[in-house]
Amino acid sequence: MGHWLDRNIVEPGKLPLLLALAAFVLTFVVTRVITRLIRAGKGPFGNVTAGSVHIHHVVPGVLLTVIGGFGAVASGGEGPGAAFAAVLFGVGAGLVLDEFALVLHLDDVYWTEAGRQSVEMVVLTAALVGLLLAGFAPFGVNDLSREELQNRVGAAASVGVNFLFALIALSKGKARVAVFGVIVPVVAVIGSLRLARPGSLWARRFYRRRPRARARAILRAYRHDRRWSGPRRALEDWLGGKPDPTPPRPLERG
């Protein structure tokens, strides 16, 4: 394990990235636990306020991200300073993306349906950073043998081809499949071969004059959503907390 860590993490200079990813994920988990305790009225935690203003945790998140980012640049990516800056950046990014939906909508939508976008963004970011850490950029190790170099070139070519399949899946309106397909090649291939979702870029471009394909895509999307919406909602509720019920809209009077 130590040899693998030295050759694939320390030697290519990926240790700060590993520390940033660990800090990012841990910060998100701790933040969600604390906010759910506050929501349930349990524990010693409470909202931070300045007078009548609620200070969202995206505020210290932005400050830590800025400090960590500039600190990483100033450190040159090496030494204890780079590691410390990476941790600060990871903590700040975790706080910011945990309230991504608030920044996107410019409204406090943390415990609403729209707030689920924060959880999705955190999962997407962690997956992409994990991909970089696992070897999306397989070069950078010094003194490679011929066999190691061939293996890394082959890995880079495989990643490139798989990335094209993931782009096709993304154009077909399958964002989650595309993200996880970048990590698991089979998922990207399957996503690129299956029918596109209605309204996707692929469907608008290639199904416009193919009514049968368009009808099949609509039917398949309906069946897929009906089958998987429940388990997906349960997983999102477990990760980010169950959103508040949407109040019924008042009836319009003529």
Side-chain angles (χ1 to χ4, degrees):
M1 179 66 182
H3 176 72
W4 179 90
L5 184 66
D6 289 336
R7 293 288 287 170
N8 295 276
I9 301 297
V10 178
E11 189 176 336
K14 294 181 179 180
L15 183 58
L17 185 62
L18 175 62
L19 294 174
L21 177 60
F24 173 78
V25 175
L26 182 61
T27 299
F28 169 73
V29 173
V30 172
T31 302
R32 282 285 163 169
V33 170
I34 292 176
T35 54
R36 292 172 77 163
L37 288 174
I38 294 174
R39 186 189 189 194
K42 300 178 180 179
F45 307 104
N47 292 323
V48 178
T49 58
S52 60
V53 179
H54 175 201
I55 306 298
H56 293 272
H57 50 268
V58 68
V59 176
V62 170
L63 296 177
L64 290 175
T65 303
V66 171
I67 295 172
F70 280 110
V73 173
S75 66
E78 299 179 356
F84 182 68
V87 172
L88 288 182
F89 183 85
V91 172
L95 293 173
V96 170
L97 292 188
D98 185 59
E99 292 200 315
F100 170 80
L102 181 147
V103 178
L104 179 64
H105 295 277
L106 294 179
D107 193 11
D108 191 358
V109 294
Y110 196 85
W111 294 118
T112 67
E113 285 289 337
R116 293 177 181 270
Q117 294 171 328
S118 297
V119 179
E120 294 177 353
M121 181 57 64
V122 167
V123 173
L124 172 63
T125 302
L128 292 179
V129 176
L131 177 66
L132 289 173
L133 192 64
F136 182 79
F139 302 103
V141 179
N142 299 323
D143 301 326
L144 293 176
S145 65
R146 183 185 297 270
E147 183 179 356
E148 286 178 324
L149 182 60
Q150 290 177 347
N151 291 338
R152 290 178 183 275
V153 171
S158 299
V159 168
V161 172
N162 184 63
F163 190 69
L164 291 178
F165 284 118
L167 286 179
I168 295 175
L170 182 63
S171 70
K172 289 189 172 184
K174 304 174 182 180
R176 295 182 181 87
V177 172
V179 171
F180 290 103
V182 172
I183 304 172
V184 184
V186 177
V187 175
V189 174
I190 294 175
S192 65
L193 294 178
R194 293 177 65 85
L195 283 170
R197 290 187 64 86
S200 65
L201 179 64
W202 187 281
R204 293 196 302 268
R205 175 65 179 82
F206 295 103
Y207 295 170
R208 183 171 52 185
R209 299 181 180 180
R210 298 172 57 191
R212 294 184 60 182
R214 187 166 61 249
R216 288 174 55 206
I218 294 173
L219 180 61
R220 177 168 293 181
Y222 169 75
R223 290 175 175 174
H224 178 274
D225 294 342
R226 186 178 62 177
R227 180 184 305 168
W228 294 107
S229 61
R232 184 179 65 192
R233 178 176 292 273
L235 177 61
E236 291 176 344
D237 288 346
W238 179 76
L239 286 174
K242 191 172 182 180
D244 294 329
T246 303
R249 297 179 61 182
L251 297 177
E252 296 182 359
R253 299 178 179 271

